[in-house]
Amino acid sequence: MIEFEGIERQDEFVYHLLGKHLQEPGIFLDVGCNLPQGGNNTYALEKYLHWDGFAFDIGDIENNHQWSDLRKSKFVQVDATEEKFTEILKDNLVGKTVDYISLDVDVGGYYQVQDSFTGITRTIEGLNLSHIVLPRILDAGVVFKCMTLEHETFKWKDTIAGPTRNALEDLGYKMLFEDVSFENGDAWEDWWIKPDLIPIDNIMDIYKKGSTFNECVDTLVEFTKNEN
C-alpha cells in the first residue's frame, strides 16, 4: 500500500492521473524540493512506483538533510532562477518527456507589496518565484505530462498566476484543476496537464476551479477508479 506524503495530496493526484496507468516508472522534476521525505511531493512516487528524476533546491539539502541516504534520485543544489538551472535541464533531459513537475519555489522573509488598484501596501511572508522559474524550465525545451504549480493567488493576486498561465496555455497545456484551494478557500496552486499525453479518456470532463485539494483528488479518484 502506498503511503502518500504530499501535504496537499499532490503525489496522490499524480498517482491517479498517471502512476497507476503507466507500464514503466515515470520521470519527475522536484523544483524547490526542500526535505527528501516528510511532506515531499515525489518521495512516494520514487519509493513505491520506482520513479526517478531530479530534485533541485537552493539550500544544501544533501549535507543538511542527507538526501542521498534517503533517496535514489539525484539532488542538485542550484538557484532555479538562474541560467545554470536551464543548462542542467538541457544536459539531462534531451529527448525525454517528464511525467511530473512539482514547482514550489519560495524565498523566506517578509515583503512589502502594493496593490496596483487600491494603492494599499501589505506585508507578505515569503516570496513566490514560480513565474521566474517556469520560463527557465520551458527555455530548456522540457515537455511534461502534469505539473503542480504554486502561485499563491491569495497573497499575490494575478502576479504569478497570470504569466504562468499565459505561458503554459500557449504551449497547449490545460489546467485540470485551477486555483486549487486550502480548506479555508485560499487558492494557492494550479494543477496542469497536457491532455494528449494523459492515458485517461475525456480527462478534462472533471475540470474544476476553486475547489479544495481534497475535492480535486477525490474527484479524480472517483473518475479513474475503473481505469487501472
Side-chain angles (χ1 to χ4, degrees), residues 12-220:
E12 194 173 353
F13 161 70
V14 178
Y15 172 74
H16 288 285
L17 183 73
L18 286 174
K20 68 184 184 183
H21 305 281
L22 299 182
Q23 300 302 309
E24 56 186 40
I27 299 172
F28 62 78
L29 298 180
D30 195 341
V31 187
C33 62
N34 198 10
L35 301 179
Q37 68 177 105
N40 182 277
N41 288 348
T42 60
Y43 178 79
L45 301 174
E46 180 180 311
K47 179 177 180 179
Y48 297 100
L49 302 181
H50 312 294
W51 284 32
D52 196 7
F54 296 87
F56 305 93
D57 202 282
I58 197 170
D60 190 358
I61 307 301
E62 178 61 63
N63 290 316
N64 294 338
H65 301 286
Q66 294 74 52
W67 179 277
S68 295
D69 292 340
L70 299 168
R71 302 288 296 267
K72 293 181 179 179
S73 55
K74 183 177 181 180
F75 169 74
V76 181
Q77 185 177 6
V78 66
D79 183 341
T81 67
E82 296 185 350
E83 179 64 26
K84 180 180 178 181
F85 175 58
T86 298
E87 294 303 320
I88 293 170
L89 296 179
K90 287 180 179 179
D91 290 343
N92 289 279
L93 296 172
V94 173
K96 298 180 181 178
T97 297
V98 175
D99 293 281
Y100 170 49
I101 300 176
S102 173
L103 180 52
D104 182 357
V105 182
D106 306 278
V107 177
Y110 292 87
Y111 300 85
Q112 299 294 313
V113 179
Q114 186 176 54
D115 189 297
S116 58
F117 295 101
T118 66
I120 297 174
T121 298
R122 298 177 295 151
T123 300
I124 294 179
E125 182 179 4
L127 183 62
N128 188 297
L129 300 174
S130 293
H131 60 311
I132 298 174
V133 175
L134 178 63
R136 293 295 188 191
I137 296 172
L138 301 180
D139 286 349
V142 172
V143 175
F144 64 89
K145 297 178 183 178
C146 71
M147 172 191 286
T148 56
L149 184 152
E150 184 181 82
H151 54 54
E152 297 180 304
T153 57
F154 72 97
K155 290 183 181 179
W156 301 102
K157 308 297 184 183
D158 200 43
T159 303
I160 289 88
T164 56
R165 288 171 180 172
N166 290 339
L168 290 172
E169 287 171 345
D170 285 347
L171 294 173
Y173 294 97
K174 302 290 184 183
M175 285 176 282
L176 181 60
F177 300 128
E178 178 179 356
D179 281 338
V180 180
S181 300
F182 296 116
E183 295 296 338
N184 66 359
D186 286 344
W188 100 105
E189 285 193 343
D190 290 331
W191 292 1
W192 290 88
I193 66 170
K194 193 75 178 293
D196 58 325
L197 298 180
I198 302 300
I200 303 170
D201 293 337
N202 304 313
I203 185 62
M204 289 305 297
D205 287 354
I206 61 170
Y207 163 82
K208 288 182 176 294
K209 179 178 180 178
S211 296
T212 68
F213 62 87
N214 282 317
E215 291 169 338
C216 292
V217 174
D218 290 347
T219 297
L220 179 60

